[in-house]
Amino acid sequence: MSSDDPKGIAPPLVELPISTADRGFYDGFSRQVTIPAKIIVTLIILWAIFFPVSANETLSAANSTIISSFAGWYVYLVAALIAICAILAIFPQTGSLRIGYAGEKPEFSRLSWFAMLFGAGIGIGLLTYSTGEPLSHFSENPDIIRGAVQAQSWDAVRPAFVYTFLHWGFAAWGTYALVGLAIGYVAYRRDLPLTIRSALVPLFGKTMSGFGGHVVDVVAVVATILGVAVTMGLGVEQFVVGLSRVGLGDWLLNPDGSSSLPAIALALAILVGASTLSALSGVGKGIKWLSNLNLGLSFLLLLLFAIMGAGLFALKLLGQGIADYIGHFIPLSLTLFSDEGPVGEQLVAWQLDWSVFYWAWWIAFSPFVGMFIARISRGRTIREYIFGVVLVPSLVCFIWMTLLGGTAIALELNGSAGGTIVNATMADQLYATLAVILDPGTAFAVSGMIVVLLMTYLVTSTDSAILIVNTINGAGDTEGEHRKHILFWGAALAAVVGSMLVLGGIEAIRITMIIGALPFSFVVALMAISIVKAICYDLIRKHQGVPTTAVGVAADKK
């Protein structure tokens, strides 16, 4: 049936004009997006710096009201995103569609593709939480709270890894995969701008050129900055502890183990400076080179723990953990704790501190990671894309957590650690584990390697975020001259992280991020509906002989 047949379905929209400035400071940028985003981020920074008491009170109130009110929304939204990814990958008709034109080949090899996924994804979190999260759940998790198992016992090990896998598995990567697919599908099949608003074009059409589209992109930029701020905050804390471990002085840490103000300033100057320089070099140079470097260093760290740590114990944990995770995946993903009952309030508090925090973090991170994944995934089929983005990184996260976290738990259970690991701050637990399994000289050298690894992960995450923010502000332009704006966003990220760390540490950044992620969570829900509609309509178009790509539409018009 031809596309001219009034009974047939219309070809897809392949044009989305977005007004950008053609001169001046904002040349090539959408002023309607860039200026409001900069104002909002600047106001957050000024609020934290000049009104710290008010900021603390507001964050505390938000933590007990807004966040708990939307806990169910975060839980069920992420579950829906995973389900949609699974359906699109499994069905032959949808899975075979390509993110690009027919026959188009991927730009990057699979190895470089996976390396960049980790470099821009959750590498920093994996370093901080590799020992920290399993040890935390080893001491407290829903099973322990209910009294089913005893804290820090052998019986607490399996549930500790089930909940760790829940947070670092399909939920994280499924969220990234869906956002990236929603953007990449319309950008590379329909030649729409590589920006967040384009993902909603299948739902709202050309209205995304105007005010509604500007709002979507502004919300995405703010969510990205706050999401990356959490990652940078975690990385800065562990980076400072690492500098202290390699002998740079006691002045780096406060008596309670947190980072001192001079240490935060030094770390941010080093990390943001390096990130900004890398961002100026672009994705094909700095980010790709650093991603390959941190993949190599991560493999060396894994190999060290496999040889010197509890390798066999970790292998057993991996098998048990995956079986338990998959076997209980659906009920775990849909569970929303109630404050009723004798331990109800404890269960709700645990879920807010862990699961809801993670779901919000992944959502806040998703505009940046999703756009970055979309940018490096052109030419792959939907099936290859979803399996590659969801399954492989999840498995590597599981291996990572069981090797590092399993070693830390084994050392505590057999008495070798004597409480030195479990009682350390989360930022110090990885270094404390190394201090137990290695002699002092080797532990010093490996701690230095972790500091370098942290720096590469921080740099790749931050510079990727800066480039993606500029891509959104530039209406999808990935090649424009954005140096002045790269410098602004680098400084803004440093200011957000620094002000929040001084204001209330990681907790202040965490609460701010969860609130900032809330508006974008509604955008993500619309993106999920939009990509399903886009793919379903394209299948109908293929059946009716109507073009589904920009090239096909152009040829059909001739």
Side-chain angles (χ1 to χ4, degrees):
M1 185 180 294
S2 77
S3 59
D4 295 327
D5 192 324
K7 296 180 180 179
I9 190 170
L13 181 67
V14 294
E15 293 180 359
L16 185 69
I18 303 174
S19 61
T20 57
D22 56 5
R23 65 173 67 88
F25 185 78
Y26 289 98
D27 182 23
F29 276 68
S30 169
R31 288 194 180 97
Q32 295 90 339
V33 175
T34 311
I35 295 175
K38 286 183 174 181
I39 290 173
I40 292 170
V41 171
T42 302
L43 288 175
I44 292 172
I45 296 167
L46 295 176
W47 176 59
I49 293 174
F50 293 108
F51 303 97
V53 175
S54 171
N56 253 325
E57 291 174 351
T58 303
L59 291 177
S60 298
N63 194 33
S64 60
T65 54
I66 297 174
I67 296 173
S68 59
S69 299
F70 285 92
W73 165 248
Y74 280 121
V75 169
Y76 297 134
L77 172 61
V78 170
L81 300 180
I82 300 168
I84 291 170
C85 283
I87 291 168
L88 292 178
I90 291 170
F91 277 88
Q93 296 94 329
T94 56
S96 61
L97 289 174
R98 196 168 292 277
I99 306 171
Y101 301 137
E104 192 170 356
K105 299 299 181 185
E107 179 182 358
F108 300 102
S109 70
R110 282 199 176 127
L111 182 61
S112 288
W113 187 49
F114 289 140
M116 285 190 280
L117 288 178
F118 282 101
I122 51 181
I124 298 165
L126 278 176
L127 281 173
T128 301
Y129 285 102
S130 57
T131 50
E133 179 153 3
L135 283 168
S136 293
H137 298 330
F138 178 58
S139 302
E140 184 182 54
N141 65 58
D143 293 358
I144 294 172
I145 293 171
R146 295 189 186 102
V149 298
Q150 185 179 350
Q152 297 184 16
S153 67
W154 284 101
D155 291 334
V157 176
R158 286 182 71 166
F161 280 93
V162 170
Y163 290 110
T164 299
F165 287 7
L166 173 68
H167 297 147
W168 291 88
F170 303 159
W173 295 99
T175 301
Y176 296 160
L178 189 133
V179 171
L181 177 63
I183 298 166
Y185 189 85
V186 296
Y188 298 133
R189 288 180 67 89
R190 304 180 181 183
D191 286 354
L192 297 183
L194 187 70
T195 188
I196 303 297
R197 71 174 77 190
S198 295
L200 300 184
V201 168
L203 276 183
F204 301 111
K206 286 190 175 180
T207 59
M208 284 293 101
S209 290
F211 178 77
H214 302 328
V215 171
V216 167
D217 282 349
V218 169
V219 167
V221 169
V222 175
T224 298
I225 294 299
L226 295 179
V228 175
V230 171
T231 301
M232 285 190 67
L234 292 169
V236 164
E237 294 261 291
Q238 197 170 25
F239 184 75
V240 169
V241 171
L243 293 178
S244 176
R245 282 274 182 176
V246 296
L248 264 67
D250 296 334
W251 63 273
L252 293 163
L253 300 175
N254 295 318
D256 63 356
S258 62
S259 302
S260 67
L261 182 57
I264 291 171
L266 173 67
L268 287 172
I270 295 171
L271 297 170
V272 175
S275 301
T276 304
L277 290 174
S278 180
L280 291 170
S281 72
V283 68
K285 298 176 183 177
I287 297 175
K288 182 178 177 181
W289 185 85
L290 285 171
S291 296
N292 287 326
L293 174 63
N294 56 38
L295 183 69
L297 291 176
S298 299
F299 178 76
L300 286 176
L301 187 61
L302 270 182
L303 190 62
L304 173 73
F305 271 86
I307 297 171
M308 303 299 296
L312 292 176
F313 179 62
L315 188 62
K316 180 182 177 182
L317 283 177
L318 179 64
Q320 289 177 340
I322 291 175
D324 291 343
Y325 172 58
I326 293 175
H328 298 88
F329 177 71
I330 293 177
L332 283 172
S333 299
L334 296 174
T335 295
L336 184 65
F337 292 124
S338 166
D339 59 6
E340 297 177 359
V343 295
E345 290 186 1
Q346 284 180 268
L347 290 170
V348 170
W350 182 91
Q351 189 169 40
L352 290 176
D353 287 343
W354 288 100
S355 300
V356 173
F357 159 63
Y358 274 122
W359 297 173
W361 191 11
W362 306 149
I363 288 169
F365 228 43
S366 66
F368 139 55
V369 180
M371 278 191 63
F372 186 78
I373 293 174
R375 191 171 175 183
I376 62 175
S377 300
R378 181 169 188 163
R380 302 190 185 275
T381 65
I382 289 177
R383 181 175 299 108
E384 180 190 16
Y385 168 86
I386 290 177
F387 284 157
V389 174
V390 177
L391 296 184
V392 178
S394 293
L395 178 60
V396 175
C397 287
F398 298 161
I399 294 170
W400 183 278
M401 291 292 192
T402 49
L403 265 176
L404 278 64
T407 295
I409 287 177
L411 294 171
E412 289 291 354
L413 285 170
N414 66 26
S416 300
T420 58
I421 302 174
V422 73
N423 293 325
T425 63
M426 187 175 287
D428 192 33
Q429 285 174 331
L430 179 56
Y431 302 111
T433 305
L434 291 171
V436 176
I437 64 174
L438 302 173
D439 63 81
T442 308
F444 176 88
V446 177
S447 295
M449 186 189 81
I450 290 174
V451 169
V452 174
L453 181 57
L454 263 172
M455 191 167 81
T456 61
Y457 271 131
L458 278 161
V459 168
T460 51
S461 293
T462 308
D463 64 9
S464 299
I466 293 171
L467 287 171
I468 293 304
V469 163
N470 275 337
T471 300
I472 297 172
N473 290 333
D477 177 23
T478 60
E479 304 297 335
E481 179 59 51
H482 300 151
R483 288 178 179 270
K484 291 171 286 192
H485 302 279
I486 286 174
L487 294 173
F488 172 86
W489 290 114
L493 266 172
V496 169
V497 175
S499 61
M500 290 295 173
L501 281 177
V502 173
L503 175 67
I506 291 297
E507 182 68 7
I509 303 178
R510 183 186 73 84
I511 297 170
T512 306
M513 180 275 300
I514 294 177
I515 299 168
L518 186 58
F520 191 71
S521 69
F522 296 104
V523 176
V524 171
L526 291 173
M527 292 172 84
I529 298 169
S530 185
I531 186 60
V532 170
K533 178 182 177 182
I535 290 173
C536 289
Y537 272 52
D538 275 359
L539 292 176
I540 296 171
R541 290 184 181 104
K542 285 181 68 175
H543 179 71
Q544 295 183 352
V546 177
T548 61
T549 63
V551 169
V553 171
D556 198 51
K557 287 180 179 179
K558 292 180 180 178

